Amino acid sequence: MRVLVVEDEPRLAANIARGLRENAGYAVDLAGDGEQGLYLATAQESSGYDLIVLDLMLPKLGGLELLRRHRAQGHRTPVLVLSARDEKESVVELLNAGADDYVAKPFDLGEFLARAKALIRRGKGQGSPVLREGSLEVYTVERRVRRCGREIQLAPMEYRVLEYLAHRPRAVISKSELLEHLYDFNWEKFSNVIEVYISGLRRKLDDPFPDKLIHTLRGQGYVLRAGDDPAPEV
Amino acid sequence: MTRASLTLRLLLVVAAAELLLAAGLGWAGIGFTQRQLRAAFDTELRGRLLSVAALVRYPETGRTLLFDATLLPPSRDRRHPAFYRVLTSEGGLIASSFPADVALPPPASGPEGVYPGLERGRFARRVFWHFERDGLDYRGLVLTRVPVLDTEENLQGPPETLTVYYAAPMLDFDGEAAAAGLAIGGTSLVLLALTLWMAWWAIRRELHPLHELAQQAAAISPHNWEFRPGPRTAATAELEPLIQALELMLGRLHASYQQQREFMADAAHHLKTPVAILKSTLQALLRRPREAGEYEAAAQASLQDVERLEQLLQRMLRLARLEQQADDDRVRPLALVELGASCRAALERVQPLARDRGVALRGGGLDHGSRVRADPDDLELVWVNLLENAIQHSPAGATVEIVGEHRAGSVAVWVRDQGTGIPVEDVPSIFERFRRGNASRPGGFGLGLAIARTIVLAYGGTIAVEPHPGPGATLCVTLPAGA
């Protein structure tokens, strides 16, 4: 998962990014003002962010205006607002402008992370924090994986790839989409890195079991799907 | 303190005035009635006297006049007799019912005049007199030259004239006057009650706008600043100064309240972010075990955050106190402060910051010796804040200048920098609190210029952005020169 944090207070932005990276395993991009935030939120190809964390008091372009313009361009990325104003009107105004949730400063980091995870989940059509596909269970809160009740140990990047796939099971997910959503813009992106993680996942997740979950569609990408039906639902 | 009712007082005044009026009317009424009664009594007295005179007749033969007592008119008061006495012009007694002990006045002592019923063309005399008998006041009348009414064709010589006394008791005089007084008094009382009720009703009606004003004033609260007296109240001339005073007072209170509220909201907002930083740092630190170095780094960062928070709090409280002082109209005793010394002290204080930033400081026109009346700390804070602002907006290697100038009756101080300048659209708002020019600049709270402005305004001065060509910004402060 990849999150954009638009926050002008560098210390706060660093803390949020650290929390998201350490506790949720997300890739995080930072924007220090509204204009940069809007540029990153809208210019990313294939709607690169799974969540935008937005402060309201921003230089150059206010958070509320950023939100309005972002939504006006048709983007559906979930937006979690950091607000120091907790008066009723402003919350209503925020939600009406297209925000999905908000936390009031000074917020609890645990609550903030839980809300961030919930927003990403819902943004991808998932309700439960436990993602299931066949005999596979992905516990997104604890970041643990089980198959047929058996605990499976994954490397952090392998987990992140699996978590992304498990959020949208039975959908074809391209290699470039995976790259887009698993790395922030400070990383060099090599597509063969994904192949390395996929093969690692297959070894730990599929090899010990008779039926396979991870399928490769040549030239298109990967599908996480239980059962023998070879045709993917796209 | 006893509560005095305006209505009661007005009613008392009205009642007193009406009682005075009623007393005057009663007194005049009784006097008038008595006069009327007396006049009527006198007319009746004369009538009866003439009726007595009419009983005198000429005899069939001879010259002796006859008196026919059988046709005497009855006394007005049946229980007490009236008295009469008829004499000839020569003084011969014809008839008398006066008791012997009643002293009679001499008939000729009265004024001469022409009286109705008496002999035409000749002067008669009339005398009224009083006497008391059987505990009653009697009033008597004497008329001379009353002609004998009986006419005889064969009368020899001139017709005889008479002198007639008549006296009657004035028994029911006072009673009738009292009855008239009672009637007037009773009517007055009824009218008094009626008019008092009318006055009470009118006063209540006219005082209603006051009640309305009181209700409106009582309804004012932090949630309701609406003060709209009804049209009738607003159109009452006497209430206009009160309404204006109330509106003025409410306006000032509302502005002050609004200012406090805005300050609270601003303060809350700007305190939350540093608290959020601190809280998230510590929470992130505690989410998993860390190495000693990480704990130390986080503790250092948190300490810096707390120091920053402390600084912000100090500045906000200072600003709040200054705004309160500015609102306070009380004149504080102020010392005369030498402007140049104050500016030099400020330069001293910002020296470390300037060194950090690589900015040079320069003072000019500070040896003039001009003095202003101000609190020395406040004054120094103005220059410190302006200089800090200038330094923070200056690139390394630039120069910040503070220049004093003495003018007629005032002093001016400029602070110039060589920074990026102030965009025209930001000029009106740079002195607002929590306003940061090109906001990404870290370290500022946006309170320095607001504090400077509050102080300068409190001392009756002005602070403004000096428009000038070229790079950098110039802020100009003027203060009234101290005598």
Side-chain angles (χ1 to χ4, degrees):
Chain A
M1 300 299 157
R2 187 168 172 188
V3 179
L4 173 64
V5 175
V6 191
E7 165 64 61
D8 63 322
E9 221 20 271
R11 296 283 321 279
L12 188 59
N15 283 344
I16 290 170
R18 185 183 187 184
L20 288 169
R21 285 184 188 126
E22 284 187 355
N23 298 289
Y26 297 162
V28 181
D29 291 335
L30 295 179
D33 63 60
E35 280 177 6
Q36 197 193 355
L38 184 65
Y39 170 76
L40 288 175
T42 53
Q44 279 285 327
E45 58 274 28
S46 69
S47 69
Y49 291 110
D50 301 292
L51 175 71
I52 295 171
V53 176
L54 183 64
D55 194 357
L56 283 186
M57 291 280 286
L58 290 169
K60 294 183 184 168
L61 180 68
L64 197 64
E65 187 53 32
L66 190 161
L67 182 60
R68 289 209 175 98
R69 291 197 202 171
H70 184 245
R71 290 291 186 241
Q73 292 183 26
H75 292 278
R76 297 194 294 184
T77 317
V79 173
L80 173 57
V81 170
L82 298 178
S83 160
R85 326 177 192 166
D86 40 13
E87 290 98 45
K88 267 250 157 48
E89 304 96 83
S90 112
V91 170
V92 170
E93 198 183 8
L94 273 176
L95 296 176
N96 283 342
D100 296 273
D101 200 356
Y102 81 100
V103 286
K105 288 184 203 170
F107 49 84
D108 185 274
L109 195 61
E111 181 190 335
F112 167 78
L113 293 170
R115 283 180 189 268
K117 284 184 183 178
L119 280 182
I120 290 177
R121 208 159 60 220
R122 270 182 268 134
K124 304 196 178 301
Q126 295 291 336
S128 165
V130 181
L131 308 171
R132 291 191 173 85
E133 178 65 13
S135 56
L136 176 75
E137 291 171 309
V138 179
Y139 296 83
T140 58
V141 177
E142 300 88 351
R143 286 192 285 164
R144 273 173 29 220
V145 178
R146 290 168 153 218
R147 187 156 184 206
C148 297
R150 204 190 310 163
E151 188 87 24
I152 291 164
Q153 296 297 328
L154 294 178
M157 272 316 287
E158 289 168 352
Y159 171 81
R160 290 176 60 193
V161 172
L162 178 65
E163 187 191 69
Y164 193 84
L165 292 173
H167 268 102
R168 283 160 63 209
R170 296 180 297 284
V172 181
I173 293 161
S174 70
K175 225 184 279 183
S176 63
E177 184 180 341
L178 280 171
L179 278 173
E180 222 33 86
H181 285 262
L182 298 178
Y183 291 100
D184 59 49
F185 53 51
N186 294 323
W187 286 76
E188 286 284 344
K189 290 158 192 165
F190 302 107
S191 60
N192 58 348
V193 174
I194 298 295
E195 283 160 31
V196 173
Y197 294 134
I198 292 284
S199 69
L201 275 175
R202 281 205 169 112
R203 187 162 41 79
K204 293 174 181 172
L205 211 62
D206 282 351
D207 289 356
F209 302 96
D211 53 329
K212 307 301 171 206
L213 285 171
I214 299 169
H215 307 270
T216 306
L217 292 168
R218 221 150 269 294
Q220 292 185 57
Y222 305 100
V223 179
L224 181 77
R225 169 164 39 82
D228 294 327
D229 181 9
E233 299 169 25
V234 179
Chain B
M1 203 184 99
T2 53
R3 282 153 53 97
S5 159
L6 203 59
T7 311
L8 190 67
R9 284 192 195 171
L10 284 173
L11 285 180
L12 282 177
V13 169
V14 170
E18 290 197 348
L19 280 176
L20 194 69
L21 186 72
L25 270 180
W27 182 77
I30 289 171
F32 181 73
T33 309
Q34 271 178 336
R35 266 189 52 162
Q36 288 293 98
L37 282 172
R38 194 172 293 265
F41 183 83
D42 287 351
T43 307
E44 195 184 330
L45 206 62
R46 200 178 60 226
R48 285 173 188 268
L49 183 145
L50 292 178
S51 307
V52 169
L55 298 178
V56 175
R57 275 190 307 193
Y58 292 109
E60 299 283 327
T61 54
R63 293 285 304 167
T64 315
L65 289 165
L66 302 176
F67 186 76
D68 187 358
T70 55
L71 291 172
L72 263 177
S75 171
R76 216 165 138 264
D77 182 351
R78 289 180 199 286
R79 282 168 299 159
H80 302 91
F83 303 116
Y84 61 88
R85 185 180 174 90
V86 187
L87 303 169
T88 63
S89 53
E90 285 83 33
L93 181 69
I94 299 171
S96 177
S97 72
F98 274 100
D101 56 341
V102 174
L104 300 175
S109 64
E112 249 187 354
V114 182
Y115 297 105
L118 303 190
E119 194 182 10
R120 216 165 282 122
R122 300 190 65 179
F123 290 112
R125 285 180 192 280
R126 186 188 73 173
V127 182
F128 283 105
W129 89 102
H130 291 90
F131 61 91
E132 204 183 303
R133 192 173 170 79
D134 295 341
L136 284 177
D137 278 328
Y138 275 77
R139 182 170 167 86
L141 174 63
V142 190
L143 281 181
T144 55
R145 293 192 189 129
V146 182
V148 176
L149 293 178
D150 187 26
T151 49
E152 289 283 330
E153 280 101 37
N154 55 354
L155 189 64
Q156 308 291 301
E160 190 65 64
T161 62
L162 307 167
T163 297
V164 185
Y165 291 79
Y166 191 86
M170 301 197 292
L171 188 66
D172 42 9
F173 244 55
D174 289 343
E176 281 183 39
L182 202 68
I184 292 171
T187 314
S188 294
L189 274 179
V190 170
L191 285 175
L192 181 73
L194 198 71
T195 49
L196 274 182
W197 179 80
M198 272 175 63
W200 174 79
W201 179 79
I203 289 168
R204 258 179 66 102
R205 201 180 118 84
E206 292 307 315
L207 285 182
H208 181 259
L210 269 182
H211 289 289
E212 198 205 308
L213 271 189
Q215 272 173 2
Q216 288 257 347
I220 301 290
S221 76
H223 309 289
N224 175 33
W225 292 94
E226 191 98 346
F227 181 70
R228 294 254 165 76
R232 208 166 78 86
T233 309
T236 307
E238 285 86 349
L239 290 181
E240 209 180 302
L242 180 63
I243 292 172
Q244 277 174 356
L246 277 172
E247 279 171 347
L248 205 65
M249 179 193 76
L250 275 177
R252 278 196 297 244
L253 277 178
H254 192 188
S256 173
Y257 179 79
Q258 209 63 26
Q259 196 187 10
Q260 290 292 320
R261 249 176 84 109
E262 276 169 26
F263 187 83
M264 286 298 294
D266 279 355
H269 184 88
H270 286 83
L271 284 170
K272 278 174 179 176
T273 300
V275 171
I277 293 172
L278 201 54
K279 192 171 170 181
S280 57
T281 303
L282 296 174
Q283 283 181 334
L285 192 68
L286 291 174
R287 283 187 82 87
R288 61 163 68 162
R290 316 246 173 202
E291 287 168 17
E294 277 186 279
Y295 284 120
E296 201 184 318
Q300 285 290 352
S302 295
L303 193 62
Q304 276 174 18
D305 290 338
V306 171
E307 277 163 4
R308 215 175 112 74
L309 195 57
E310 191 185 350
Q311 220 180 350
L312 173 60
L313 269 176
Q314 269 172 359
R315 290 200 172 195
M316 283 198 316
L317 291 177
R318 175 106 201 201
L319 183 58
R321 192 168 57 80
L322 284 168
E323 283 183 356
Q324 209 166 27
Q325 275 175 3
D327 284 347
D328 219 345
D329 285 340
R330 269 182 303 139
V331 180
R332 287 177 295 159
L334 292 171
L336 279 172
V337 182
E338 215 241 289
L339 192 69
S342 173
C343 291
R344 275 192 294 272
L347 278 172
E348 198 74 24
R349 266 175 64 181
V350 299
Q351 197 66 54
L353 178 69
R355 244 195 322 268
D356 269 10
R357 292 284 191 133
V359 173
L361 295 175
R362 197 161 65 203
L366 301 180
D367 301 319
H368 200 284
S370 311
R371 299 199 287 178
V372 292
R373 218 166 256 289
D375 180 273
D377 290 344
D378 281 357
L379 198 61
E380 198 179 310
L381 188 61
V382 173
W383 317 132
V384 167
N385 284 355
L386 292 183
L387 287 169
E388 275 185 355
N389 177 68
I391 292 166
Q392 277 161 345
H393 284 96
S394 292
T399 302
V400 166
E401 223 182 344
I402 181 164
V403 180
E405 189 192 282
H406 189 83
R407 296 171 174 176
S410 73
V411 292
V413 173
W414 287 277
V415 174
R416 281 198 195 101
D417 65 48
Q418 297 168 340
T420 48
I422 302 160
V424 182
E425 65 270 20
D426 288 349
V427 168
S429 66
I430 65 156
F431 296 110
E432 286 174 20
R433 28 168 210 255
F434 300 118
R435 192 59 61 127
R436 288 186 281 175
N438 50 39
S440 48
R441 175 174 62 86
F445 299 117
L447 285 176
L449 293 184
I451 289 174
R453 185 187 65 161
T454 308
I455 295 172
V456 169
L457 294 187
Y459 291 126
T462 64
I463 185 166
V465 178
E466 194 90 338
H468 70 100
T474 301
L475 297 182
C476 178
V477 171
T478 65
L479 287 166

